[in-house]
Amino acid sequence: GVSYTMGKEEHDAEGRIITIDFPQFSLANLYVPNSGQKLERLNYRTEQWDTDLLQFMQNKEKDRGVPVIWLGDLNVAHKAYDAWNDGARHLTKQA
């Protein structure tokens, strides 16, 4: 089946996950929230979203007995070269 939520109202209203269950695996496409330019959403990201997402993925794997593959925009940049515009940080963010 296809689902568009992780079962947590505080996250589901933002439409950040699509999960498809295949016979041999589940596939989750994510748009993970970033912390914001002034880190105004850092606590939400690290203390709520990340822990709830991990719990959702672990439960999905346990309940179905098949692997879960995560993909999408995880908003993670381990090194400077992981960001597409590292050299343009002075530019204002546009919608």
Side-chain angles (χ1 to χ4, degrees), residues 60-77:
K60 171 72 80 176
E61 185 173 39
K62 182 180 174 187
D63 294 346
R64 295 207 60 237
V66 297
V68 179
I69 301 168
W70 310 12
L71 55 89
D73 184 347
L74 303 180
N75 266 312
V76 175

Side-chain angles (χ1 to χ4, degrees), residues 16-87:
R16 295 185 172 274
I17 185 169
I18 301 171
T19 307
I20 304 172
D21 294 329
F22 293 96
Q24 300 297 319
F25 62 92
S26 293
L27 184 70
N29 185 25
L30 305 167
Y31 178 37
V32 175
N34 66 31
S35 300
Q37 289 186 350
K38 296 181 182 177
L39 301 179
E40 64 269 4
R41 295 191 81 189
L42 181 61
N43 287 341
Y44 167 71
R45 165 69 190 272
T46 59
E47 296 175 14
Q48 295 176 352
W49 169 270
D50 288 352
T51 55
D52 289 342
L53 177 64
L54 179 60
Q55 188 68 53
F56 172 78
M57 295 298 178
Q58 289 174 331
N59 289 341
K60 171 72 80 176
E61 185 173 39
K62 182 180 174 187
D63 294 346
R64 295 207 60 237
V66 297
V68 179
I69 301 168
W70 310 12
L71 55 89
D73 184 347
L74 303 180
N75 266 312
V76 175
H78 179 66
K79 301 275 186 185
Y81 58 74
D82 292 327
W84 74 271
N85 65 343
D86 178 53

